[in-house]
Structures are given as C-alpha cells and as structure tokens.
C-alpha cells in the first residue's frame, strides 16, 4: 500500500511554512498597516512594530511589510524633528531681527564657544577661587585677582586680535564684578559665611565669575 501522499511543490507553500500571514500586508498607509493612529508617539510605533513582528514571526513577507512601514514612519519622524529644529532656529533669528537695535548691538558682542573651551576656562577661574579661599588666612587675593585678569585679557586677545579691546573688556569685567560683589556680598547672612572669609575675598570670587563670563562669551 502506498502511504506517500501527493507531494506539494515548495512554491505552493507560503513563506515560513505554517506561519500566519499579516492581513494588512499590502495596505499602503504605514499607520493603518501597523494598526496605530496617525498621532501615535514614537513609543507606540515601536510597540506596534515589536508586537506585529512577534505575532507574524517566520513569515518573511509579513515581517518585511511590518519593517517597511516602521522604517517609513521613523523616517517621517526624523524629518519632522529636523524641520522643527530648523523652524526654532528660524523663529529665534526672526525674533532677533525684530528686536530693538540696542539688543542687536548687545548680541553682536556675545558668542557661544565650544563647551570644551567653556569648561577649561571655568576650571581655571574655579581654581583661582579655590586658591584664594585656601590662602584667605594668609592675606588678600590680590595676586590671584591679577593672574585672573591677565588670563582673561589673554583669552580675549586670542579672539579679538586686539590687545587694547581685550584690556578694556577685561578691566570692565573686573570692575563690574567687584562693584556687584561689593553691593550684594554684604547682604549675605553672616551665619552662611566662614569666619575667615573677608568681604574682599568674597568680592573677588564674584569678580572671578565675571572674568570667566567675559573671556568665554564676549567677543
């Protein structure tokens, strides 16, 4: 007795053998294909993709259809984020262009350097502040202030290529910081201040901060 049934050709079987076929395999709209709303978040898109791939695992065409819809939505999301970023820059530039002349002139003196430069200069002036605090019992911070001013002028001269301009900005930053420190430091409650920290020391710390701002962000 012949127990061998009629053989079926391999091409008659779906991809993946008995794996279920994705019913929306030919739906054009990627949102409808994944079964999500057009307002779905990126997390929902990922969730739908992972669920469908697990549901129809083993059926090649179904997996390809799900992946194609997912990639299309990701690309649209990337383009939208890029467009939003460009729009934000455009709106910011428009706001600057519409601002009063004095604001435009003020912004012309400001720049944002690489963060590596900002951190290096912040570390330098923080070191000067720490040095002044450690030597507070031995004398005033005059030497540290002088070194900080010289460093500020050096950095400004590197950017402006004008020693005179760098000198004026550096002295202006030092004077502004010293005046602000002299005004606001006395307002700090004495219980928050270390007994050996004098008004001169605290004012110098404010001056270091202004020198840091000047050599990092002014041009």
């Amino acid at each position: 007795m012949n127990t061998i049934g009629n053989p079926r050709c391999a091409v008659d079987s779906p991809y993946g053998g008995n794996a279920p076929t994705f019913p929306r395999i030919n739906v054009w709209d990627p949102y409808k294909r994944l079964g999500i709303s057009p307002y779905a978040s990126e997390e929902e898109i990922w969730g739908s993709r992972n669920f469908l791939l697990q549901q129809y695992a083993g059926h090649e065409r179904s997996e390809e259809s799900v992946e194609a819809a997912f990639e299309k939505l990701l690309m649209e999301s990337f383009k939208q984020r890029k467009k939003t970023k460009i729009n934000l820059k455009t709106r910011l530039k428009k706001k600057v262009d519409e601002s009063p002349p004095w604001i435009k002139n003020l912004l012309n003196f400001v720049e944002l350097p690489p963060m590596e430069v900002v951190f290096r200069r912040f570390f330098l002036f923080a070191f000067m502040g720490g040095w002044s605090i450690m030597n507070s019992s031995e004398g005033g911070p005059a030497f540290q202030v002088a070194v900080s001013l010289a460093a500020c002028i050096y950095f400004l001269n590197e950017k402006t290529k004008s020693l005179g301009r760098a000198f004026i900005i550096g002295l202006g930053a030092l004077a502004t910081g010293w005046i602000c420190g002299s005004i606001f430091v006395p307002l700090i409650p004495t219980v928050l201040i270390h007994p050996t920290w004098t008004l001169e020391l605290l004012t110098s710390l404010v001056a270091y901060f202004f020198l840091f701002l000047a050599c990092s962000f002014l041009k």
Side-chain angles (χ1 to χ4, degrees):
M1 181 178 177
N2 186 7
T3 59
I4 301 177
N6 293 330
R8 294 182 60 190
C9 181
V11 295
D12 294 333
S13 299
Y15 292 100
N18 295 324
T21 304
F22 184 38
R24 298 187 298 273
I25 196 169
N26 293 319
V27 174
W28 179 82
D29 189 327
Y31 289 101
K32 292 181 179 179
R33 190 185 303 177
L34 295 182
I36 56 178
S37 164
Y39 306 103
S41 65
E42 193 166 316
E43 290 77 12
E44 291 173 317
I45 295 173
W46 273 95
S48 177
R49 175 254 187 193
N50 294 337
F51 172 78
L52 292 174
L53 286 180
Q54 185 178 10
Q55 190 81 6
Y56 300 100
H59 193 276
E60 186 176 351
R61 287 189 61 209
S62 297
E63 293 176 343
E64 289 175 352
S65 177
V66 171
E67 287 286 14
F70 170 72
E71 290 172 3
K72 186 174 182 180
L73 292 181
L74 273 193
M75 185 60 66
E76 288 181 3
S77 177
F78 171 75
K79 289 179 180 178
Q80 186 63 33
R81 287 199 301 268
K82 189 175 181 181
K83 184 178 179 181
T84 301
K85 187 176 181 181
I86 293 173
N87 288 341
L88 286 174
K89 289 183 178 180
T90 304
R91 286 200 295 269
L92 181 60
K93 187 176 184 300
K94 186 178 179 181
K95 288 289 185 182
V96 172
D97 292 339
E98 293 174 351
S99 59
W102 68 272
I103 293 182
K104 293 181 183 178
N105 293 334
L106 182 63
L107 291 176
N108 287 334
F109 289 99
V110 179
E111 68 173 1
L112 183 62
M115 292 308 297
E116 182 183 353
V117 174
V118 175
F119 284 130
R120 282 205 307 263
R121 293 177 185 176
F122 179 80
F123 176 79
L124 171 64
F125 288 98
F127 172 77
M128 289 297 175
W131 187 10
S132 300
I133 292 173
M134 288 188 294
N135 290 342
S136 60
S137 59
E138 300 177 5
F143 177 73
Q144 290 88 343
V145 171
V147 173
S148 299
L149 175 60
C152 178
I153 293 173
Y154 173 79
F155 292 137
L156 285 167
N157 184 53
E158 276 191 332
K159 290 193 291 185
T160 63
K161 307 302 180 185
S162 171
L163 184 59
R165 180 183 177 86
F167 193 79
I168 292 172
I169 295 175
L171 279 180
L174 176 61
T176 304
W178 204 269
I179 291 172
C180 290
S182 300
I183 294 173
F184 293 108
V185 166
L187 302 179
I188 302 175
T190 54
V191 294
L192 301 177
I193 302 176
H194 194 276
T196 61
W197 292 7
T198 63
L199 175 62
E200 183 184 17
L201 170 64
L202 294 174
T203 303
S204 70
L205 298 181
V206 178
Y208 296 147
F209 180 69
F210 275 79
L211 289 170
F212 158 72
L213 294 179
C215 69
S216 299
F217 302 106
L218 296 184
K219 60 181 180 179

